[in-house]
Amino acid sequence: MRLHRLLVVFPIFLISCFTVEDNSGKSSYLTHCASCHGESGKGFQELIPPLNQADYAQENTDRLACIIKYGIEGEVEVEGVVYDQPMAGILDLSPEEITNILNFLVTDFKLRDKKFQLTEVRTQLSRCQ
Amino acid sequence: MRLIAAAFVAIFLSACTSETKELPILGRHDFTKRMVDGQEVMDTLYYSIPDFEFYDQDSNRVNENLVDGKIYVTDFFFTSCPSICPQMKRNMLTVYEEFLQEDRFQLLSHSIDFIKDSVPVLKKYAGKIGISSSKWHLLAGEKDEIYDMAEAYMVAASEDPKAPGGFAHSGAFILVDGEGHIRAYYDGTTKEDTELLIKDIYTLLNATP
């Protein structure tokens, strides 16, 4: 009987362990990005480009940490629409938070197949122009 | 026993009345005294939005006549606003789409960036959102006029070098009835309040023929 209960409780515990990590990327996304790019990453009309299964982000995964931290301006074409409205960088995000946000984009917005490692994000950040 | 029954009825009734939420007239009202049959009675002069005049994205003149007898929602924003504006515009677009076919309804968005947001800039912005100036007016104006308007609606708006984008403003959506009375405020950055606003617009529309 006791063992039974433990067997039920234990997997729940494990699941909650994993989701804590995932949620932090999601909650950072909701705090720092969703007001503009939308909760589901669809962007907003022709003012703000999409991130969800969108070509620009998928083709520029080697620059995303820099875009998040230092912003981006000038014309960018995303899914055939040209956007031209500066995005301010979010300077106070740590490499860890950026990694979590990018991994949220991987899991929920199909950014790419492979998850991001902290080292990869650190390397990107050291090479921002 | 009878007391308990009465209490129950009272609770029941109060629950009923809170369902059909009233939209009170907000603001600092004035009172006048008047004599009726030798008795002194008080009349309330409800606070209402003063006359105004601005130009929208298509250079249409927008003033109190345009909204006379119409329910409207107003807010303050600016096109280069990096913080709460995209969320506000996304929510406002929901309201716009809901009432696109309703002739008794209008939307007025005041830009508080009197330097950059000229009529052509507003026109480009409106084009990118894909909205028509027959329903949703993006308004340009002079500095003093804009800030006077914010004061008339009793919301905050100011130049602020420390704020993102250089201006600070309230994220409120303000619901105004056909007589220029402010009826309610909503947090324009949340979906929940936007849904409530839509509900309340229907309430006002249904109350006015």
Side-chain angles (χ1 to χ4, degrees):
Chain A
M1 187 59 195
R2 272 224 193 120
L3 190 68
H4 252 111
R5 228 178 260 170
L6 254 180
L7 281 178
V8 174
V9 170
F10 199 56
I12 291 174
F13 198 70
L14 275 181
I15 289 167
S16 63
C17 269
F18 283 118
T19 49
V20 164
E21 201 199 31
D22 276 353
N23 274 342
S24 91
K26 181 175 185 167
S27 73
S28 293
Y29 177 84
L30 292 177
T31 314
H32 299 289
C33 322
S35 69
C36 289
H37 291 282
E39 263 170 55
S40 52
K42 299 267 167 64
F44 179 54
Q45 305 296 95
E46 291 180 16
L47 280 176
I48 294 163
L51 299 174
N52 196 340
Q53 302 178 56
D55 54 5
Y56 187 93
Q58 288 170 340
E59 287 158 17
N60 290 278
T61 50
D62 57 336
R63 297 176 44 228
L64 293 181
C66 296
I67 292 179
I68 292 172
K69 183 137 184 152
Y70 300 107
I72 174 172
E73 59 178 39
E75 292 190 354
V76 283
E77 188 174 330
V78 186
E79 297 292 333
V81 177
V82 177
Y83 297 84
D84 187 8
Q85 165 117 336
M87 162 180 153
I90 306 167
L91 284 167
D92 50 355
L93 285 178
S94 66
E96 287 79 5
E97 281 173 296
I98 294 176
T99 309
N100 285 339
I101 291 174
L102 288 173
N103 282 331
F104 169 72
L105 301 187
V106 167
T107 52
D108 284 53
F109 297 166
K110 299 202 167 67
L111 181 61
R112 70 176 197 193
D113 295 332
K114 206 168 77 197
K115 285 229 175 181
F116 283 80
Q117 300 296 321
L118 184 56
T119 49
E120 182 184 359
V121 170
R122 284 227 162 91
T123 313
Q124 274 192 33
L125 288 173
S126 68
R127 291 184 193 145
C128 297
Q129 280 135 9
Chain B
M1 186 59 200
R2 229 182 259 166
L3 246 171
I4 292 172
F8 261 106
V9 169
I11 290 167
F12 198 71
L13 279 180
S14 68
C16 280
T17 47
S18 67
E19 281 246 318
T20 52
K21 182 181 150 257
E22 294 228 1
L23 293 163
I25 294 172
L26 304 176
R28 224 179 293 130
H29 310 309
D30 255 331
F31 301 93
T32 54
K33 283 185 195 145
R34 184 160 63 100
M35 298 300 275
V36 177
D37 300 333
Q39 297 267 352
E40 205 173 66
V41 292
M42 289 279 241
D43 278 344
T44 312
L45 297 173
Y46 288 107
Y47 175 79
S48 61
I49 298 300
D51 292 354
F52 58 88
E53 185 162 289
F54 294 93
Y55 286 89
D56 74 10
Q57 67 267 36
D58 288 325
S59 301
N60 299 314
R61 194 182 304 195
V62 173
N63 56 24
E64 68 283 353
N65 294 325
L66 182 102
V67 289
D68 185 32
K70 291 185 178 163
I71 289 149
Y72 71 96
V73 172
T74 200
D75 72 346
F76 292 81
F77 82 111
F78 57 108
T79 59
S80 59
C81 163
S83 50
I84 57 175
C85 301
Q87 192 59 43
M88 289 173 74
K89 289 294 153 275
R90 182 179 285 119
N91 288 332
M92 195 66 116
L93 188 66
T94 311
V95 179
Y96 169 86
E97 283 165 351
E98 182 77 28
F99 297 103
L100 193 52
Q101 309 298 334
E102 175 54 67
D103 292 337
R104 296 172 296 160
F105 181 76
Q106 291 279 314
L107 282 169
L108 312 183
S109 286
H110 288 270
S111 165
I112 55 168
D113 186 349
F114 50 89
I115 301 162
K116 275 190 256 134
D117 286 349
S118 57
V119 167
V121 170
L122 293 178
K123 186 167 178 68
K124 195 168 157 213
Y125 190 80
K128 286 184 178 180
I129 310 183
I131 54 169
S132 153
S133 69
S134 62
K135 177 65 60 192
W136 187 352
H137 307 267
L138 306 179
L139 303 176
E142 301 285 325
K143 177 177 176 177
D144 291 347
E145 296 170 342
I146 299 166
Y147 292 126
D148 284 351
M149 231 35 228
E151 215 177 299
Y153 287 112
M154 303 183 282
V155 294
S158 62
E159 276 179 282
D160 180 355
K162 276 182 266 145
F167 294 90
H169 62 95
S170 143
F173 289 163
I174 307 149
L175 176 61
V176 184
D177 69 18
E179 273 131 56
H181 297 142
I182 299 173
R183 301 301 288 270
Y185 292 84
Y186 306 83
D187 180 351
T189 65
T190 72
K191 248 193 219 153
E192 296 72 31
D193 256 35
T194 305
E195 277 159 21
L196 186 64
L197 167 62
I198 290 175
K199 228 179 90 211
D200 289 347
I201 293 168
Y202 277 119
T203 304
L204 284 189
L205 282 170
N206 291 337
T208 39

